[in-house]
Structures are given as C-alpha cells and as structure tokens.
Amino acid sequence: MKKILAAIFLFFMLFSTSSATLAEIVVFNWKTLKYHKPSCQWAKKCTQNCTKVDKKEAIKQGGKPCKVCGG
Ligand SMILES: [Zn+2]
C-alpha cells in the first residue's frame, strides 16, 4: 500500500514540475527584436528572420513583446 502511495506521489511531483518548467515557445524576429505568439498573424508572415525559441531566450537576447499579440 505504501508503495502505491509513493508511486502516486512521485507521479504528481513529476507532473507538477514538468508543467511548471515547460518552455513557452515564441516566434522571435532577430532582425526587429520582437517576439510573437506562434498564433500571431505577424509570426505567420515572418518566415525569413524568425526562429522559434523559448520566451526567456528571446528576452535574454533583447527581444521585446509584439504590440499586436503581446508576445
Ligand atoms: Zn505578434
């Protein structure tokens, strides 16, 4: 019985930590230094200067949120 409880506990621990550290992917335009939500119309139009990166990484590189989608 204790083993089952431990397994359930471990499962929830893993689940909560993995969802908390889940990276938020944004479309980062390294030319204008703006980042967009992947669903943003400008992100879809941006095919040459954009790369998909973690939001934290985009901010670290001097990225600013898009005024249309909010980043
Ligand atoms: Zn946008």
Side-chain angles (χ1 to χ4, degrees):
M1 196 58 189
K2 264 187 179 176
K3 268 186 184 175
I4 296 164
L5 284 173
I8 293 167
F9 181 70
L10 191 72
F11 173 78
F12 277 107
M13 283 294 287
L14 286 169
F15 185 76
S16 60
T17 50
S18 65
S19 63
T21 54
L22 196 71
E24 196 181 339
I25 296 299
V26 293
V27 178
F28 180 51
N29 187 325
W30 46 264
K31 213 168 184 183
T32 62
L33 296 176
K34 283 197 175 124
Y35 60 85
H36 306 266
K37 282 176 185 160
S39 58
C40 177
Q41 55 170 321
W42 296 106
K44 282 170 187 169
K45 280 177 190 169
C46 182
T47 52
Q48 288 202 323
N49 306 319
C50 287
T51 43
K52 279 185 179 175
V53 292
D54 185 3
K55 193 174 186 174
K56 285 177 198 161
E57 192 57 39
I59 294 166
K60 208 194 284 176
Q61 289 181 29
K64 296 272 179 283
C66 164
K67 281 176 187 168
V68 180
C69 66

Short mmCIF file of all heavy atoms in Angstrom, two decimals:
data_model
loop_
_atom_site.label_atom_id
_atom_site.label_comp_id
_atom_site.label_asym_id
_atom_site.label_seq_id
_atom_site.Cartn_x
_atom_site.Cartn_y
_atom_site.Cartn_z
N MET A 1 0.84 -1.22 0.00
CA MET A 1 0.00 0.00 0.00
C MET A 1 0.87 1.26 0.00
O MET A 1 0.61 2.21 -0.72
CB MET A 1 -0.92 -0.03 1.23
CG MET A 1 -2.09 0.96 1.14
SD MET A 1 -3.15 0.70 -0.32
CE MET A 1 -4.18 2.15 -0.26
N LYS A 2 1.91 1.23 0.79
CA LYS A 2 2.80 2.40 0.86
C LYS A 2 3.48 2.67 -0.48
O LYS A 2 3.71 3.81 -0.86
CB LYS A 2 3.87 2.18 1.94
CG LYS A 2 3.49 2.81 3.27
CD LYS A 2 4.63 2.72 4.26
CE LYS A 2 4.25 3.36 5.58
NZ LYS A 2 5.30 3.21 6.57
N LYS A 3 3.78 1.56 -1.16
CA LYS A 3 4.45 1.69 -2.46
C LYS A 3 3.57 2.40 -3.47
O LYS A 3 4.02 3.20 -4.27
CB LYS A 3 4.85 0.30 -3.00
CG LYS A 3 6.25 -0.10 -2.60
CD LYS A 3 6.63 -1.39 -3.27
CE LYS A 3 8.00 -1.85 -2.80
NZ LYS A 3 8.36 -3.16 -3.33
N ILE A 4 2.29 2.07 -3.43
CA ILE A 4 1.33 2.70 -4.35
C ILE A 4 1.22 4.20 -4.06
O ILE A 4 1.28 5.02 -4.97
CB ILE A 4 -0.06 2.01 -4.25
CG1 ILE A 4 0.05 0.55 -4.71
CG2 ILE A 4 -1.10 2.75 -5.08
CD1 ILE A 4 -1.11 -0.33 -4.33
N LEU A 5 1.13 4.53 -2.79
CA LEU A 5 1.05 5.94 -2.40
C LEU A 5 2.31 6.69 -2.84
O LEU A 5 2.24 7.81 -3.33
CB LEU A 5 0.86 6.07 -0.89
CG LEU A 5 -0.54 5.77 -0.37
CD1 LEU A 5 -0.55 5.76 1.15
CD2 LEU A 5 -1.56 6.78 -0.89
N ALA A 6 3.45 6.04 -2.67
CA ALA A 6 4.71 6.66 -3.07
C ALA A 6 4.76 6.87 -4.57
O ALA A 6 5.22 7.90 -5.05
CB ALA A 6 5.88 5.78 -2.62
N ALA A 7 4.23 5.90 -5.31
CA ALA A 7 4.22 5.99 -6.78
C ALA A 7 3.30 7.12 -7.23
O ALA A 7 3.65 7.89 -8.13
CB ALA A 7 3.75 4.66 -7.36
N ILE A 8 2.14 7.23 -6.57
CA ILE A 8 1.20 8.31 -6.92
C ILE A 8 1.83 9.66 -6.60
O ILE A 8 1.79 10.60 -7.40
CB ILE A 8 -0.15 8.12 -6.16
CG1 ILE A 8 -0.87 6.87 -6.69
CG2 ILE A 8 -1.03 9.36 -6.30
CD1 ILE A 8 -2.03 6.41 -5.82
N PHE A 9 2.47 9.75 -5.43
CA PHE A 9 3.12 10.98 -5.02
C PHE A 9 4.20 11.39 -6.02
O PHE A 9 4.28 12.54 -6.45
CB PHE A 9 3.72 10.78 -3.61
CG PHE A 9 4.41 12.02 -3.09
CD1 PHE A 9 3.67 13.14 -2.71
CD2 PHE A 9 5.79 12.05 -2.96
CE1 PHE A 9 4.29 14.28 -2.23
CE2 PHE A 9 6.43 13.19 -2.49
CZ PHE A 9 5.67 14.31 -2.12
N LEU A 10 5.00 10.41 -6.42
CA LEU A 10 6.08 10.65 -7.37
C LEU A 10 5.54 11.13 -8.71
O LEU A 10 6.07 12.05 -9.32
CB LEU A 10 6.90 9.37 -7.55
CG LEU A 10 8.23 9.53 -8.31
CD1 LEU A 10 9.25 10.26 -7.46
CD2 LEU A 10 8.78 8.16 -8.69
N PHE A 11 4.43 10.50 -9.11
CA PHE A 11 3.78 10.87 -10.38
C PHE A 11 3.36 12.34 -10.36
O PHE A 11 3.64 13.10 -11.29
CB PHE A 11 2.57 9.96 -10.62
CG PHE A 11 1.76 10.36 -11.81
CD1 PHE A 11 2.18 10.06 -13.09
CD2 PHE A 11 0.57 11.06 -11.64
CE1 PHE A 11 1.44 10.45 -14.20
CE2 PHE A 11 -0.18 11.45 -12.73
CZ PHE A 11 0.26 11.15 -14.01
N PHE A 12 2.73 12.75 -9.25
CA PHE A 12 2.28 14.14 -9.16
C PHE A 12 3.44 15.12 -9.07
O PHE A 12 3.38 16.22 -9.61
CB PHE A 12 1.32 14.30 -7.97
CG PHE A 12 -0.09 13.90 -8.32
CD1 PHE A 12 -0.64 12.72 -7.84
CD2 PHE A 12 -0.86 14.69 -9.17
CE1 PHE A 12 -1.92 12.33 -8.18
CE2 PHE A 12 -2.15 14.31 -9.51
CZ PHE A 12 -2.68 13.14 -9.02
N MET A 13 4.50 14.68 -8.42
CA MET A 13 5.69 15.53 -8.32
C MET A 13 6.27 15.77 -9.71
O MET A 13 6.58 16.90 -10.07
CB MET A 13 6.75 14.86 -7.43
CG MET A 13 6.46 14.97 -5.95
SD MET A 13 6.53 16.67 -5.34
CE MET A 13 8.29 16.95 -5.37
N LEU A 14 6.40 14.70 -10.46
CA LEU A 14 6.96 14.79 -11.81
C LEU A 14 6.07 15.63 -12.71
O LEU A 14 6.53 16.46 -13.47
CB LEU A 14 7.14 13.40 -12.41
CG LEU A 14 8.29 12.57 -11.86
CD1 LEU A 14 8.19 11.14 -12.35
CD2 LEU A 14 9.64 13.16 -12.26
N PHE A 15 4.76 15.40 -12.57
CA PHE A 15 3.79 16.10 -13.41
C PHE A 15 3.81 17.60 -13.13
O PHE A 15 3.86 18.41 -14.04
CB PHE A 15 2.39 15.53 -13.17
CG PHE A 15 1.35 16.12 -14.07
CD1 PHE A 15 1.28 15.72 -15.40
CD2 PHE A 15 0.46 17.07 -13.61
CE1 PHE A 15 0.33 16.27 -16.25
CE2 PHE A 15 -0.49 17.63 -14.45
CZ PHE A 15 -0.56 17.22 -15.77
N SER A 16 3.83 17.98 -11.85
CA SER A 16 3.81 19.40 -11.49
C SER A 16 5.10 20.10 -11.90
O SER A 16 5.07 21.24 -12.35
CB SER A 16 3.54 19.58 -10.00
OG SER A 16 4.53 18.95 -9.25
N THR A 17 6.23 19.43 -11.73
CA THR A 17 7.49 20.09 -12.08
C THR A 17 7.65 20.22 -13.59
O THR A 17 8.13 21.23 -14.06
CB THR A 17 8.72 19.35 -11.50
OG1 THR A 17 8.62 17.98 -11.82
CG2 THR A 17 8.85 19.54 -10.01
N SER A 18 7.19 19.19 -14.33
CA SER A 18 7.35 19.25 -15.78
C SER A 18 6.46 20.34 -16.39
O SER A 18 6.86 21.02 -17.31
CB SER A 18 7.07 17.90 -16.42
OG SER A 18 5.73 17.55 -16.25
N SER A 19 5.26 20.53 -15.83
CA SER A 19 4.38 21.56 -16.37
C SER A 19 4.86 22.95 -15.97
O SER A 19 4.67 23.91 -16.70
CB SER A 19 2.95 21.33 -15.91
OG SER A 19 2.85 21.43 -14.52
N ALA A 20 5.52 23.06 -14.81
CA ALA A 20 5.99 24.36 -14.34
C ALA A 20 7.20 24.83 -15.14
O ALA A 20 7.38 26.01 -15.35
CB ALA A 20 6.34 24.30 -12.87
N THR A 21 8.01 23.88 -15.58
CA THR A 21 9.22 24.25 -16.30
C THR A 21 9.03 24.18 -17.82
O THR A 21 9.97 24.36 -18.57
CB THR A 21 10.40 23.33 -15.90
OG1 THR A 21 10.02 21.98 -16.08
CG2 THR A 21 10.83 23.56 -14.46
N LEU A 22 7.80 23.92 -18.23
CA LEU A 22 7.53 23.83 -19.67
C LEU A 22 7.85 25.15 -20.35
O LEU A 22 7.35 26.20 -19.94
CB LEU A 22 6.05 23.47 -19.87
CG LEU A 22 5.67 22.96 -21.26
CD1 LEU A 22 6.23 21.57 -21.51
CD2 LEU A 22 4.16 22.93 -21.40
N ALA A 23 8.66 25.09 -21.36
CA ALA A 23 9.09 26.30 -22.05
C ALA A 23 7.96 26.90 -22.86
O ALA A 23 7.18 26.18 -23.47
CB ALA A 23 10.27 25.98 -22.95
N GLU A 24 7.89 28.22 -22.82
CA GLU A 24 6.90 28.91 -23.64
C GLU A 24 7.58 29.32 -24.94
O GLU A 24 8.50 30.14 -24.95
CB GLU A 24 6.36 30.13 -22.91
CG GLU A 24 5.08 30.65 -23.53
CD GLU A 24 4.56 31.90 -22.82
OE1 GLU A 24 4.92 32.12 -21.67
OE2 GLU A 24 3.81 32.63 -23.44
N ILE A 25 7.14 28.71 -26.01
CA ILE A 25 7.79 28.96 -27.30
C ILE A 25 7.18 30.19 -27.97
O ILE A 25 5.97 30.33 -28.06
CB ILE A 25 7.66 27.70 -28.21
CG1 ILE A 25 8.42 26.51 -27.60
CG2 ILE A 25 8.17 27.99 -29.63
CD1 ILE A 25 9.92 26.69 -27.40
N VAL A 26 8.06 31.06 -28.40
CA VAL A 26 7.63 32.25 -29.13
C VAL A 26 8.36 32.29 -30.47
O VAL A 26 9.38 31.63 -30.66
CB VAL A 26 7.92 33.54 -28.33
CG1 VAL A 26 7.07 33.63 -27.09
CG2 VAL A 26 9.39 33.68 -28.00
N VAL A 27 7.80 33.06 -31.39
CA VAL A 27 8.46 33.27 -32.67
C VAL A 27 9.24 34.57 -32.56
O VAL A 27 8.66 35.65 -32.44
CB VAL A 27 7.43 33.32 -33.82
CG1 VAL A 27 8.11 33.59 -35.16
CG2 VAL A 27 6.67 32.01 -33.90
N PHE A 28 10.55 34.45 -32.57
CA PHE A 28 11.42 35.60 -32.33
C PHE A 28 12.01 36.11 -33.63
O PHE A 28 12.66 35.38 -34.38
CB PHE A 28 12.53 35.20 -31.35
CG PHE A 28 13.50 36.31 -31.03
CD1 PHE A 28 13.05 37.55 -30.63
CD2 PHE A 28 14.87 36.09 -31.11
CE1 PHE A 28 13.94 38.57 -30.33
CE2 PHE A 28 15.77 37.11 -30.82
CZ PHE A 28 15.31 38.35 -30.41
N ASN A 29 11.75 37.39 -33.89
CA ASN A 29 12.32 38.03 -35.07
C ASN A 29 13.63 38.69 -34.64
O ASN A 29 13.63 39.69 -33.93
CB ASN A 29 11.33 39.08 -35.61
CG ASN A 29 11.79 39.68 -36.94
OD1 ASN A 29 12.98 39.86 -37.17
ND2 ASN A 29 10.84 39.99 -37.78
N TRP A 30 14.72 38.12 -35.06
CA TRP A 30 16.03 38.61 -34.62
C TRP A 30 16.46 39.87 -35.36
O TRP A 30 17.47 40.48 -35.02
CB TRP A 30 17.10 37.52 -34.74
CG TRP A 30 17.08 36.75 -36.03
CD1 TRP A 30 16.46 35.55 -36.24
CD2 TRP A 30 17.68 37.11 -37.26
NE1 TRP A 30 16.63 35.15 -37.53
CE2 TRP A 30 17.39 36.10 -38.19
CE3 TRP A 30 18.44 38.21 -37.70
CZ2 TRP A 30 17.82 36.13 -39.51
CZ3 TRP A 30 18.87 38.25 -39.01
CH2 TRP A 30 18.55 37.21 -39.90
N LYS A 31 15.68 40.27 -36.35
CA LYS A 31 16.01 41.50 -37.07
C LYS A 31 15.35 42.72 -36.41
O LYS A 31 15.97 43.75 -36.25
CB LYS A 31 15.58 41.38 -38.54
CG LYS A 31 16.51 42.13 -39.46
CD LYS A 31 16.25 41.78 -40.91
CE LYS A 31 17.27 42.48 -41.80
NZ LYS A 31 16.99 42.21 -43.22
N THR A 32 14.08 42.56 -36.03
CA THR A 32 13.38 43.66 -35.36
C THR A 32 13.41 43.51 -33.85
O THR A 32 12.96 44.39 -33.13
CB THR A 32 11.91 43.73 -35.84
OG1 THR A 32 11.25 42.51 -35.47
CG2 THR A 32 11.80 43.94 -37.32
N LEU A 33 13.92 42.37 -33.37
CA LEU A 33 13.99 42.04 -31.93
C LEU A 33 12.62 42.06 -31.27
O LEU A 33 12.45 42.53 -30.16
CB LEU A 33 14.97 42.97 -31.20
CG LEU A 33 16.44 42.86 -31.61
CD1 LEU A 33 17.29 43.89 -30.89
CD2 LEU A 33 16.99 41.46 -31.35
N LYS A 34 11.65 41.52 -31.99
CA LYS A 34 10.31 41.38 -31.42
C LYS A 34 9.93 39.91 -31.42
O LYS A 34 10.28 39.18 -32.34
CB LYS A 34 9.30 42.19 -32.21
CG LYS A 34 9.40 43.66 -31.87
CD LYS A 34 8.17 44.42 -32.31
CE LYS A 34 8.29 45.86 -31.83
NZ LYS A 34 8.17 46.84 -32.91
N TYR A 35 9.23 39.53 -30.37
CA TYR A 35 8.78 38.14 -30.32
C TYR A 35 7.26 38.06 -30.31
O TYR A 35 6.57 38.93 -29.78
CB TYR A 35 9.40 37.36 -29.16
CG TYR A 35 9.11 37.89 -27.78
CD1 TYR A 35 7.95 37.53 -27.11
CD2 TYR A 35 10.02 38.72 -27.13
CE1 TYR A 35 7.70 37.99 -25.83
CE2 TYR A 35 9.77 39.19 -25.86
CZ TYR A 35 8.62 38.82 -25.20
OH TYR A 35 8.36 39.30 -23.95
N HIS A 36 6.75 37.02 -30.94
CA HIS A 36 5.31 36.84 -31.14
C HIS A 36 4.85 35.49 -30.61
O HIS A 36 5.62 34.54 -30.57
CB HIS A 36 4.95 36.86 -32.63
CG HIS A 36 5.45 38.07 -33.34
ND1 HIS A 36 4.68 39.19 -33.53
CD2 HIS A 36 6.64 38.33 -33.92
CE1 HIS A 36 5.38 40.08 -34.20
NE2 HIS A 36 6.57 39.59 -34.46
N LYS A 37 3.55 35.44 -30.33
CA LYS A 37 2.93 34.14 -30.08
C LYS A 37 2.90 33.40 -31.42
O LYS A 37 2.71 34.05 -32.46
CB LYS A 37 1.48 34.34 -29.60
CG LYS A 37 1.39 34.72 -28.16
CD LYS A 37 -0.04 34.99 -27.77
CE LYS A 37 -0.08 35.50 -26.34
NZ LYS A 37 -1.29 36.22 -26.01
N PRO A 38 3.06 32.08 -31.39
CA PRO A 38 3.04 31.34 -32.67
C PRO A 38 1.74 31.56 -33.46
O PRO A 38 1.72 31.41 -34.67
CB PRO A 38 3.19 29.89 -32.24
CG PRO A 38 3.86 29.95 -30.91
CD PRO A 38 3.36 31.20 -30.25
N SER A 39 0.66 31.92 -32.78
CA SER A 39 -0.63 32.13 -33.44
C SER A 39 -0.77 33.54 -34.03
O SER A 39 -1.74 33.82 -34.74
CB SER A 39 -1.76 31.88 -32.45
OG SER A 39 -1.63 32.73 -31.33
N CYS A 40 0.18 34.42 -33.75
CA CYS A 40 0.09 35.82 -34.22
C CYS A 40 0.20 35.89 -35.74
O CYS A 40 0.98 35.17 -36.37
CB CYS A 40 1.22 36.62 -33.58
SG CYS A 40 1.28 38.33 -34.15
N GLN A 41 -0.58 36.80 -36.32
CA GLN A 41 -0.56 36.98 -37.78
C GLN A 41 0.84 37.38 -38.26
O GLN A 41 1.26 36.98 -39.35
CB GLN A 41 -1.59 38.03 -38.18
CG GLN A 41 -1.43 39.36 -37.47
CD GLN A 41 -2.31 40.45 -38.08
OE1 GLN A 41 -2.48 40.53 -39.28
NE2 GLN A 41 -2.89 41.28 -37.22
N TRP A 42 1.57 38.15 -37.46
CA TRP A 42 2.90 38.60 -37.86
C TRP A 42 3.92 37.49 -37.76
O TRP A 42 4.90 37.46 -38.50
CB TRP A 42 3.31 39.81 -37.02
CG TRP A 42 2.40 40.97 -37.28
CD1 TRP A 42 1.43 41.45 -36.44
CD2 TRP A 42 2.33 41.76 -38.48
NE1 TRP A 42 0.77 42.49 -37.05
CE2 TRP A 42 1.29 42.70 -38.29
CE3 TRP A 42 3.03 41.74 -39.68
CZ2 TRP A 42 0.95 43.62 -39.28
CZ3 TRP A 42 2.68 42.67 -40.65
CH2 TRP A 42 1.66 43.60 -40.45
N ALA A 43 3.67 36.60 -36.83
CA ALA A 43 4.56 35.44 -36.71
C ALA A 43 4.42 34.55 -37.92
O ALA A 43 5.39 33.98 -38.42
CB ALA A 43 4.22 34.67 -35.44
N LYS A 44 3.19 34.45 -38.42
CA LYS A 44 2.94 33.62 -39.60
C LYS A 44 3.53 34.25 -40.86
O LYS A 44 3.99 33.55 -41.76
CB LYS A 44 1.43 33.40 -39.78
CG LYS A 44 0.92 32.35 -38.81
CD LYS A 44 -0.59 32.29 -38.79
CE LYS A 44 -1.07 31.35 -37.68
NZ LYS A 44 -2.51 31.47 -37.47
N LYS A 45 3.53 35.59 -40.89
CA LYS A 45 4.09 36.29 -42.05
C LYS A 45 5.61 36.30 -42.03
O LYS A 45 6.26 36.43 -43.06
CB LYS A 45 3.57 37.73 -42.07
CG LYS A 45 2.17 37.83 -42.65
CD LYS A 45 1.66 39.25 -42.58
CE LYS A 45 0.18 39.30 -42.92
NZ LYS A 45 -0.43 40.58 -42.63
N CYS A 46 6.15 36.19 -40.83
CA CYS A 46 7.60 36.23 -40.69
C CYS A 46 8.20 34.86 -40.94
O CYS A 46 8.08 33.96 -40.11
CB CYS A 46 7.94 36.71 -39.27
SG CYS A 46 9.70 36.84 -39.02
N THR A 47 8.81 34.72 -42.10
CA THR A 47 9.37 33.41 -42.44
C THR A 47 10.89 33.46 -42.58
O THR A 47 11.56 32.45 -42.43
CB THR A 47 8.76 32.89 -43.76
OG1 THR A 47 8.90 33.91 -44.75
CG2 THR A 47 7.31 32.53 -43.60
N GLN A 48 11.44 34.65 -42.88
CA GLN A 48 12.88 34.73 -43.14
C GLN A 48 13.73 35.06 -41.92
O GLN A 48 14.79 34.49 -41.74
CB GLN A 48 13.14 35.78 -44.23
CG GLN A 48 12.68 35.29 -45.59
CD GLN A 48 13.38 36.03 -46.72
OE1 GLN A 48 13.63 37.21 -46.63
NE2 GLN A 48 13.69 35.32 -47.78
N ASN A 49 13.24 35.99 -41.09
CA ASN A 49 14.08 36.45 -39.97
C ASN A 49 13.65 35.90 -38.62
O ASN A 49 14.11 36.36 -37.60
CB ASN A 49 14.05 37.99 -39.91
CG ASN A 49 14.43 38.61 -41.24
OD1 ASN A 49 15.35 38.14 -41.90
ND2 ASN A 49 13.73 39.64 -41.64
N CYS A 50 12.74 34.93 -38.64
CA CYS A 50 12.20 34.45 -37.39
C CYS A 50 12.63 33.03 -37.06
O CYS A 50 12.76 32.19 -37.94
CB CYS A 50 10.67 34.50 -37.41
SG CYS A 50 10.08 36.18 -37.30
N THR A 51 12.82 32.82 -35.78
CA THR A 51 13.12 31.48 -35.28
C THR A 51 12.26 31.23 -34.05
O THR A 51 11.95 32.16 -33.31
CB THR A 51 14.61 31.32 -34.89
OG1 THR A 51 15.03 32.46 -34.19
CG2 THR A 51 15.48 31.10 -36.11
N LYS A 52 11.90 29.98 -33.85
CA LYS A 52 11.13 29.61 -32.68
C LYS A 52 12.08 29.35 -31.52
O LYS A 52 12.96 28.49 -31.61
CB LYS A 52 10.29 28.36 -32.96
CG LYS A 52 9.02 28.70 -33.71
CD LYS A 52 8.15 27.48 -33.88
CE LYS A 52 6.88 27.87 -34.63
NZ LYS A 52 6.04 26.72 -34.93
N VAL A 53 11.91 30.14 -30.47
CA VAL A 53 12.77 29.98 -29.29
C VAL A 53 11.94 30.06 -28.02
O VAL A 53 10.77 30.45 -28.05
CB VAL A 53 13.89 31.05 -29.23
CG1 VAL A 53 14.92 30.87 -30.34
CG2 VAL A 53 13.32 32.45 -29.25
N ASP A 54 12.58 29.72 -26.92
CA ASP A 54 11.96 29.87 -25.61
C ASP A 54 11.81 31.37 -25.35
O ASP A 54 12.68 32.17 -25.69
CB ASP A 54 12.88 29.21 -24.57
CG ASP A 54 12.28 29.19 -23.18
OD1 ASP A 54 11.13 29.64 -23.02
OD2 ASP A 54 12.96 28.73 -22.26
N LYS A 55 10.69 31.75 -24.74
CA LYS A 55 10.42 33.16 -24.47
C LYS A 55 11.55 33.79 -23.64
O LYS A 55 11.97 34.91 -23.91
CB LYS A 55 9.10 33.27 -23.70
CG LYS A 55 8.56 34.68 -23.63
CD LYS A 55 7.20 34.65 -22.99
CE LYS A 55 6.52 35.98 -23.00
NZ LYS A 55 5.14 35.91 -22.49
N LYS A 56 12.04 33.05 -22.66
CA LYS A 56 13.13 33.55 -21.82
C LYS A 56 14.37 33.85 -22.65
O LYS A 56 15.08 34.82 -22.40
CB LYS A 56 13.48 32.50 -20.75
CG LYS A 56 12.48 32.45 -19.63
CD LYS A 56 12.87 31.34 -18.66
CE LYS A 56 11.69 30.97 -17.79
NZ LYS A 56 11.89 29.65 -17.18
N GLU A 57 14.61 32.98 -23.63
CA GLU A 57 15.77 33.14 -24.50
C GLU A 57 15.61 34.39 -25.38
O GLU A 57 16.57 35.14 -25.59
CB GLU A 57 15.94 31.89 -25.37
CG GLU A 57 17.25 31.80 -26.11
CD GLU A 57 18.49 31.87 -25.22
OE1 GLU A 57 18.47 31.28 -24.12
OE2 GLU A 57 19.46 32.52 -25.64
N ALA A 58 14.39 34.63 -25.86
CA ALA A 58 14.12 35.81 -26.68
C ALA A 58 14.34 37.09 -25.89
O ALA A 58 14.93 38.05 -26.39
CB ALA A 58 12.68 35.74 -27.21
N ILE A 59 13.89 37.09 -24.64
CA ILE A 59 14.06 38.26 -23.77
C ILE A 59 15.55 38.48 -23.47
O ILE A 59 16.03 39.60 -23.50
CB ILE A 59 13.23 38.10 -22.47
CG1 ILE A 59 11.74 38.11 -22.79
CG2 ILE A 59 13.57 39.21 -21.47
CD1 ILE A 59 10.85 37.63 -21.66
N LYS A 60 16.23 37.37 -23.25
CA LYS A 60 17.67 37.44 -22.95
C LYS A 60 18.44 38.07 -24.11
O LYS A 60 19.43 38.76 -23.90
CB LYS A 60 18.18 36.02 -22.68
CG LYS A 60 19.39 35.99 -21.75
CD LYS A 60 20.08 34.63 -21.77
CE LYS A 60 19.32 33.58 -21.00
NZ LYS A 60 19.99 32.25 -21.13
N GLN A 61 17.95 37.84 -25.31
CA GLN A 61 18.63 38.38 -26.49
C GLN A 61 18.14 39.79 -26.84
O GLN A 61 18.41 40.29 -27.92
CB GLN A 61 18.45 37.43 -27.67
CG GLN A 61 19.26 36.16 -27.50
CD GLN A 61 19.12 35.21 -28.66
OE1 GLN A 61 18.90 35.63 -29.79
NE2 GLN A 61 19.24 33.92 -28.39
N GLY A 62 17.40 40.40 -25.95
CA GLY A 62 16.94 41.77 -26.13
C GLY A 62 15.60 41.89 -26.83
O GLY A 62 15.26 42.95 -27.33
N GLY A 63 14.86 40.79 -26.86
CA GLY A 63 13.56 40.79 -27.52
C GLY A 63 12.50 41.57 -26.76
O GLY A 63 12.49 41.58 -25.53
N LYS A 64 11.63 42.21 -27.50
CA LYS A 64 10.50 42.96 -26.91
C LYS A 64 9.20 42.33 -27.41
O LYS A 64 9.13 41.88 -28.55
CB LYS A 64 10.56 44.42 -27.36
CG LYS A 64 11.80 45.15 -26.86
CD LYS A 64 11.57 45.75 -25.48
CE LYS A 64 12.80 46.46 -24.95
NZ LYS A 64 13.85 45.56 -24.43
N PRO A 65 8.17 42.30 -26.55
CA PRO A 65 6.90 41.69 -26.99
C PRO A 65 6.23 42.46 -28.12
O PRO A 65 6.29 43.69 -28.16
CB PRO A 65 6.05 41.69 -25.72
CG PRO A 65 6.66 42.71 -24.83
CD PRO A 65 8.11 42.76 -25.16
N CYS A 66 5.59 41.73 -28.99
CA CYS A 66 4.85 42.31 -30.11
C CYS A 66 3.65 43.10 -29.58
O CYS A 66 3.02 42.70 -28.60
CB CYS A 66 4.38 41.17 -31.01
SG CYS A 66 3.09 41.60 -32.17
N LYS A 67 3.36 44.24 -30.21
CA LYS A 67 2.24 45.08 -29.75
C LYS A 67 0.90 44.49 -30.14
O LYS A 67 -0.12 44.82 -29.56
CB LYS A 67 2.39 46.49 -30.32
CG LYS A 67 3.40 47.29 -29.52
CD LYS A 67 3.61 48.65 -30.15
CE LYS A 67 4.76 49.37 -29.44
NZ LYS A 67 5.18 50.56 -30.18
N VAL A 68 0.88 43.64 -31.14
CA VAL A 68 -0.37 43.05 -31.61
C VAL A 68 -0.80 41.87 -30.74
O VAL A 68 -1.92 41.82 -30.25
CB VAL A 68 -0.25 42.62 -33.10
CG1 VAL A 68 -1.55 42.00 -33.59
CG2 VAL A 68 0.11 43.82 -33.97
N CYS A 69 0.12 40.94 -30.54
CA CYS A 69 -0.24 39.73 -29.80
C CYS A 69 0.24 39.75 -28.35
O CYS A 69 -0.18 38.92 -27.55
CB CYS A 69 0.31 38.50 -30.51
SG CYS A 69 2.12 38.43 -30.54
N GLY A 70 1.11 40.67 -28.02
CA GLY A 70 1.61 40.77 -26.65
C GLY A 70 2.77 39.83 -26.35
O GLY A 70 3.23 39.73 -25.22
N GLY A 71 3.23 39.13 -27.39
CA GLY A 71 4.42 38.29 -27.25
C GLY A 71 4.13 36.91 -26.78
O GLY A 71 3.40 36.62 -25.91
ZN ZN B 1 2.72 39.36 -32.72
#
